[in-house]
Amino acid sequence: MRQKRQYKMMRFIVSLVLMALFLPAAPAQAAQVQVNPAIRVGLYFGSNALPGANLLNQAGSGYRFGYFDGGLQFTQLGYTSQTAISMVKTQNVWYSSGQYTATPGSGAAVGCYHLQLPGVYYDFQSAQAAASLYPGGFPAWIDGVYQVRVGAYLDGVSAQAARSSLGLDGAQVAGTSGGGVSVVETGTSRILFQFDSTEGLWLGVKPGLDEWTKTETIFRNNVYYGGFQYQRSGGDLTVVNVLPMEDYVQGVILSEMMATWPVEALKAQAVCARTYGYWHMLRRKHNAAGFDLCNGVCCQAYRGIAGMTDSSRRAVEETYGEYLWYNGSLTEPVYFNSDGGATESAVNVWTEDVPYLQGRLDPYEAAVADQIEKYHWTVTFTRQELSDLLSSKGYANSGIVSVSTQTSATGNVVSITFTDAAGKNFTRTKEACRTLLGLRSQRYTVSGGGGGSSAAVPSVSYYVEGGGTLASLDGVYAIDGSGDVGALGGQTYAVTSSGVSPLTGDASFSGTASGGTSGGNTFTFTGSGWGHGVGMSQWGAYAMAQSGHTYRDILQFYYTGIEVRQP
Ligand SMILES: [Zn+2]
């Protein structure tokens, strides 16, 4: 027994070392990428960790207890035929409103003081048989050894009193380390099993009593395939879903797309989700927290497998194990809601130029624009609101009078410049063109205020009393469209029909302003699409699938020069 466990620990440590050796410094090559590996997805962690986590088994066939080793192989230590169980931290918890919490209440209490009987047991069955002789007795696996414990008392005094009344003179009052987890029958104080390891193992729970039946389990109103791992170091439980990659992909496409969409769009999403998930897994961002991927936008949305349809099942099955590759390396296939007419190159949104993430005009999406909520959007700021917003972002200004933009080859805004009444410019580029003002995309024009859309300074017409050309505007004051007076000073700038624009070099003041009554007090951003615009448009995938394209067509359209295949 002891040797077997040590062998397992060795294997665990060896696999950790191997994983560390194979950390991808360079892009992952096909040889490193597996088809359908087991993965760990964090569901509740960090500040969202839980004092207790209920599971409800859909199939009603019970659960196995044990642990997952470094290769995510499951070692079984025990089982129960109960269908509703809860994992709780080994501190005092109370059942209240359907959950176990650390707040004392009137519901069933699971205390962290137990009576430990002398002796150890060869296996789960013998420990369970011995435990059943005592009210509140349960088998425990403590650092590789089966023991029998009795009761769940809230304090040591109660435990000692119970020891006398039960006549368990040889028993010791026992607790656990900060990593202990008890499995209880949901809603009660009855402990079914207790797990504690100071050797880096964590309680694993697998729904179902055999390895072959695919079981769906309800946890916090979501439905999951696979097993669960409960990790804690002194505090609450980090809850991790351990499952095959292909089942994870099913969950992601259900969270990221509508399961009623055409199957070819879902298939494109499945290949993206699988590749993107693997890409993030290889980077081990969450490894210290005990999992490979989280379930939020930081990795990709995953809320279990509720809502599966025939289409969503087919989408995963018909792309089984397929990833997106570029030049033999695994890609990072980012995606987003809708491009509004053109995608954008990664270098114009983030930092790196990525050969397969190049912007292009999208001839497909417009056909489904009327189905997309807020596809065309407009945001209007008053001058005061815009000035205040920019101040709040750290750009002190004397009142924004003009906004101008520069666009990429595909027409998305890649540089935005704000000019204040003192002629001071703030320029932000790339993704900030969207995020700074909380706009829905980088695809927009600006009107009103002093700025025309894409208004490079030389294209503005200037009006100067009497016409002619001025060599300098020093000492000259200007009145803008809303009646505000600005001192021109050393930096020369001029009044246009709708505000003030800076002038550089040998500006020539000629021509006449037309009208002079445009909305100088407001700035209107008029755009289309939603998201960062790099990679695949999900609505574009929908539109392409609607018009008869395959998932390969979709992926090849949105990702330049990629291959779709198994490793
Ligand atoms: Zn994440």
Side-chain angles (χ1 to χ4, degrees):
M1 178 66 210
R2 187 88 205 166
Q3 270 193 334
K4 189 175 167 202
R5 187 172 57 81
Q6 280 172 345
Y7 167 71
K8 286 222 163 73
M9 274 310 295
M10 276 289 286
R11 206 172 62 179
F12 177 66
I13 290 163
V14 166
S15 48
L16 281 182
V17 170
L18 286 176
M19 283 162 73
L21 285 177
F22 285 108
L23 263 184
Q29 305 298 312
Q32 289 173 262
V33 178
Q34 300 167 39
V35 170
N36 202 19
I39 62 166
R40 305 169 297 169
V41 186
L43 303 180
Y44 285 85
F45 51 89
S47 58
N48 291 323
L50 299 173
N54 308 351
L55 288 183
L56 186 61
N57 193 324
Q58 295 265 65
S61 54
Y63 302 88
R64 288 162 287 155
F65 315 127
Y67 59 85
F68 295 94
D69 68 16
L72 298 186
Q73 291 293 308
F74 185 69
T75 296
Q76 184 174 332
L77 300 173
Y79 58 89
T80 178
S81 58
Q82 292 288 332
T83 56
I85 62 171
S86 297
M87 276 43 71
V88 300
K89 60 179 179 177
T90 50
Q91 290 172 12
N92 292 342
V93 294
W94 289 261
Y95 191 68
S96 170
S97 304
Q99 302 292 342
Y100 288 90
T101 77
T103 310
S106 56
V110 185
C112 64
Y113 293 86
H114 317 288
L115 296 173
Q116 181 167 310
L117 303 191
V120 297
Y121 294 81
Y122 177 71
D123 59 17
F124 179 78
Q125 283 86 348
S126 56
Q128 192 173 44
S132 68
L133 301 176
Y134 305 93
F138 58 89
W141 191 85
I142 311 293
D143 274 335
V145 177
Y146 287 103
Q147 299 180 335
V148 170
R149 294 181 163 189
V150 174
Y153 310 102
L154 292 171
D155 54 60
V157 172
S158 307
Q160 281 162 3
R163 177 168 59 188
S164 302
S165 65
L166 291 171
L168 292 173
D169 294 341
Q172 290 184 326
V173 175
T176 64
S177 78
V181 181
S182 296
V183 181
V184 302
E185 188 183 331
T186 298
T188 76
S189 303
R190 185 182 165 215
I191 296 179
L192 301 167
F193 181 66
Q194 190 172 66
F195 178 98
D196 194 16
S197 166
T198 55
E199 298 173 330
L201 298 177
W202 307 106
L203 173 66
V205 174
K206 276 200 148 185
L209 294 178
D210 63 62
E211 197 58 36
W212 307 279
T213 311
K214 197 159 183 170
T215 304
E216 298 179 9
T217 310
I218 300 174
F219 168 53
R220 295 246 160 178
N221 299 319
N222 287 327
V223 183
Y224 295 95
Y225 279 146
F228 298 86
Q229 179 170 277
Y230 303 89
Q231 183 165 340
R232 61 181 291 253
S233 46
D236 287 342
L237 303 173
T238 290
V239 183
V240 175
N241 190 194
V242 182
L243 77 170
M245 172 66 92
E246 296 297 310
D247 290 341
Y248 165 74
V249 170
Q250 176 65 247
V252 173
I253 65 176
L254 293 168
S255 299
E256 291 283 358
M257 263 189 185
M258 306 278 282
T260 52
W261 278 18
V263 69
E264 294 300 322
L266 295 173
K267 285 162 75 173
Q269 180 71 62
V271 177
C272 288
R274 188 182 291 115
T275 311
Y276 190 75
Y278 215 109
W279 169 279
H280 278 268
M281 188 172 89
L282 290 172
R283 271 141 194 85
R284 298 164 66 82
K285 179 167 41 170
H286 296 296
N287 197 53
F291 48 90
D292 302 308
L293 299 159
C294 75
N295 60 345
V297 288
C298 133
C299 290
Q300 66 195 335
Y302 168 73
R303 294 186 292 273
I305 46 93
M308 276 188 300
T309 61
D310 283 347
S311 295
S312 73
R313 281 194 193 89
R314 277 183 58 197
V316 178
E317 287 166 13
E318 293 175 14
T319 62
Y320 180 80
E322 287 182 350
Y323 299 94
L324 278 178
W325 308 87
Y326 182 85
N327 264 354
S329 297
L330 198 69
T331 61
E332 183 189 18
V334 288
Y335 54 88
F336 59 93
N337 182 276
S338 52
D339 58 42
T343 67
E344 191 46 69
S345 299
V347 70
N348 287 334
V349 177
W350 300 311
T351 47
E352 264 180 79
D353 190 17
V354 182
Y356 55 85
L357 299 175
Q358 300 295 318
R360 64 185 300 182
L361 294 172
D362 185 340
Y364 302 105
E365 210 185 75
V368 300
D370 59 347
Q371 298 175 53
I372 308 175
E373 198 184 346
K374 295 183 188 165
Y375 185 71
H376 297 288
W377 51 265
T378 299
V379 179
T380 298
F381 298 93
T382 65
R383 167 173 298 181
Q384 192 68 47
E385 284 168 349
L386 187 61
S387 303
D388 291 349
L389 179 61
L390 291 171
S391 290
S392 77
K393 305 269 183 185
Y395 308 135
N397 65 79
S398 57
I400 301 302
V401 296
S402 142
V403 180
S404 64
T405 57
Q406 289 179 346
T407 54
S408 68
T410 55
N412 296 308
V413 175
V414 292
S415 174
I416 185 166
T417 298
F418 304 92
T419 304
D420 76 359
K424 195 166 60 171
N425 289 337
F426 307 119
T427 296
R428 287 297 173 268
T429 60
K430 304 191 180 192
E431 190 177 32
C433 297
R434 170 176 64 101
T435 56
L436 182 69
L437 300 180
L439 303 175
R440 288 175 71 83
S441 72
Q442 276 176 241
R443 194 162 188 80
Y444 58 83
T445 56
V446 190
S447 60
S453 58
S454 308
V457 168
S459 69
V460 178
S461 296
Y462 303 104
Y463 175 74
V464 175
E465 179 77 43
T469 302
L470 293 181
S472 164
L473 287 182
D474 274 347
V476 176
Y477 286 77
I479 304 172
D480 71 10
S482 59
D484 293 338
V485 177
L488 299 182
Q491 161 72 53
T492 56
Y493 53 109
V495 184
T496 71
S497 60
S498 54
V500 180
S501 291
L503 302 175
T504 54
D506 296 322
S508 159
F509 307 137
S510 60
T512 53
S514 60
T517 56
S518 79
N521 272 323
T522 59
F523 297 88
T524 299
F525 295 74
T526 304
S528 53
W530 185 23
H532 53 64
V534 183
M536 185 181 78
S537 158
Q538 292 170 306
W539 275 104
Y542 171 83
M544 285 187 75
Q546 287 284 53
S547 62
H549 290 90
T550 68
Y551 76 105
R552 288 175 181 273
D553 297 337
I554 295 169
L555 294 167
Q556 268 148 13
F557 177 77
Y558 287 106
Y559 302 105
T560 307
I562 48 85
E563 278 182 276
V564 184
R565 58 170 171 80
Q566 289 194 356

